[in-house]
Amino acid sequence: MPRIQPIDPSAATAEAATHLATAAKMFGGTPNFALTAANSPATLNALLSLFANIGATSLGATVGEQIAIAVAESNGSGYCLSAHTAIGTAYGIHASELEAARRGTSADPKTNAILRLAADINNMRGDVTNSALDAARNAGISDTEIVEVVGHVALNVFTNFLNNVSQMNIDFPEVAPYATA
């Protein structure tokens, strides 16, 4: 049972209802994370803005989903791990790459370097070493892409924490983090 009750769209305030309608358009439905975030219309608006803007980075949607999976696994967010595994599957990411993303790796060298950097940013709370940045740059990751990785990690930490705090019901095919499986 969720520790924070999702907002019933029919009972939402005008501002929350507007943001929930936007979420429904963005995601093809209104997932529980949006209904939960709607308890604070400002928070839901911020999340939707982050999703729209971070989703438009040069890293692309599939790498963004792989980052989301790596961060969700690391943070023990079953909701986000389930959601992004389903989305990654819909984007055509091979099951072996989805599994590798849970470990923060990829068969593609550049994606592997991006996921390693994302894991370092998440695990070190942003206090990455010079050698981590050098490794990313040596793998061909530009400063623009480094900043975009930070953005992806920040968005996913935001949703991971919201989902972990609220313990919302998972409305995607469930994938349990390794630590809880």
Side-chain angles (χ1 to χ4, degrees):
M1 175 169 204
R3 296 192 294 188
I4 298 174
Q5 292 304 308
I7 295 296
D8 177 347
S10 66
T13 65
E15 186 179 6
T18 298
H19 298 319
L20 287 171
T22 300
K25 288 178 191 171
M26 287 176 71
F27 303 114
T30 312
N32 283 339
F33 90 85
L35 295 171
T36 300
N39 278 283
S40 166
T43 298
L44 178 55
N45 188 40
L47 278 171
L48 296 176
S49 178
L50 278 170
F51 273 110
N53 289 293
I54 297 300
T57 67
S58 68
L59 295 177
T62 57
V63 172
E65 292 307 316
Q66 288 168 289
I67 292 169
I69 290 167
V71 173
E73 180 65 49
S74 179
N75 291 330
S77 177
Y79 186 94
C80 289
L81 184 60
S82 300
H84 292 287
T85 298
I87 296 166
T89 299
Y91 283 163
I93 301 172
H94 193 274
S96 63
E97 280 294 291
L98 294 171
E99 182 63 30
R102 293 180 71 176
R103 295 185 308 277
T105 65
S106 172
D108 176 74
K110 186 170 182 181
T111 302
N112 189 64
I114 288 169
L115 294 177
R116 288 188 159 312
L117 178 61
D120 284 345
I121 292 166
N122 183 57
N123 296 334
M124 301 302 294
R125 298 179 184 164
D127 193 17
V128 297
T129 63
N130 287 338
S131 62
L133 289 176
D134 290 343
R137 288 184 177 113
N138 290 337
I141 301 172
S142 69
D143 285 352
T144 298
E145 291 166 321
I146 290 169
V147 171
E148 291 174 352
V149 171
V150 172
H152 276 277
V153 171
L155 167 59
N156 286 287
V157 166
F158 190 172
T159 58
N160 292 176
F161 286 10
L162 175 63
N163 298 324
N164 288 348
V165 166
S166 68
Q167 295 181 356
M168 67 187 67
N169 294 326
I170 298 173
D171 49 353
F172 296 91
E174 191 164 352
V175 179
Y178 291 134
T180 61

